[in-house]
Each structure stands twice: as structure tokens, then as C-alpha cells.
Amino acid sequence: SSILTAQSRYPTVAAMTTDNVLRQSAYAMMDMNDAISLVIAESPVLEPVSLPLRAITDGMILAEDVFAPSSIPPFRASIKDGYAVVQSDGPGEYPIIGEVTAGSYGAPLTVTPGTVAYITTGAPV
């Protein structure tokens, strides 16, 4: 068969297992590109199906991208804890004028030159 012909071009490989036992593979080593081509050639192309969300099970993948109707959260958010600074200030010590935390919806805090604000992950920027 074509599989045996492709595999016979490469030597078999001995490998150590996690229990330190030397084992000989029953399968010959293949070139990576040949292996990928073989997998693609032997894999059936499945037709997409439409299912209710609760009917989706492990092992299923989306056939197309899904887009949210709006951004969540609906504002630019900090991706990590740190300090909001004015870039042009450069290195130095600056007074902390306040903190912005995730879930805070108080009056907006404006960082001006020469000041910084503590900001937590998920907080509005």
C-alpha cells in the first residue's frame, strides 16, 4: 500500500520510555512533510452542521468565526495590574493620585503629566 511504501524509506527508531525501558517502534520514522500530507490525505472533510448551543459537545469545533454583537466590557480595559502614566514623563518618582479597579464606575480619573494612578486588571483605562 502507499502507506507502507512511504514508511519504508525511513529507518525504524528506538526510544526510551518514561520508565526507562528501551522500546523499538513498530512504525518507521517519516519525514514531517510526508506525515502531514498523509494525515491530510486520509482525513475526511466533514460537512458543517447547525446545532443549538446546548447540543455542542467536547471534540466539536466551529466551522466559522463567531462575532459578539458588542464589545465586553464596553470600554478599553487594562490587561494587567500596574500604573497608568503619561508616556512623555519618562522614568522617575511620581505621586499616585488615585486608583482605578475593575468594576469601579466612579468619576473618571485623569492622569496628568507628573502623576500616576494605580490600575488593576480589567479596570477602565
Side-chain angles (χ1 to χ4, degrees):
S1 82
S2 63
I3 295 173
L4 293 176
T5 302
Q7 289 180 343
S8 65
R9 293 186 301 161
Y10 304 100
T12 58
V13 176
M16 295 296 285
T17 63
T18 55
D19 56 358
N20 290 326
V21 175
L22 185 62
R23 304 205 191 254
Q24 185 74 24
S25 173
Y27 301 96
M29 181 67 83
M30 291 184 75
D31 174 74
M32 180 64 80
N33 290 329
D34 290 346
I36 292 169
S37 296
L38 181 61
V39 168
I40 290 171
E42 296 297 323
S43 299
V45 176
L46 302 176
E47 293 297 320
V49 295
S50 294
L51 297 171
L53 190 56
R54 65 185 159 279
I56 296 173
T57 62
D58 287 344
M60 293 182 163
I61 60 171
L62 294 173
E64 58 188 46
D65 293 338
V66 175
F67 297 94
S70 61
S71 296
I72 303 293
F75 51 81
R76 289 184 56 224
S78 172
I79 60 169
K80 59 179 12 181
D81 291 354
Y83 293 89
V85 300
V86 175
Q87 181 180 4
S88 61
D89 280 348
E93 292 184 17
Y94 300 99
I96 300 170
I97 59 169
E99 72 176 33
V100 183
T101 59
S104 63
Y105 296 100
L109 187 61
T110 302
V111 177
T112 57
T115 65
V116 300
Y118 179 70
I119 187 165
T120 62
T121 304
V125 176

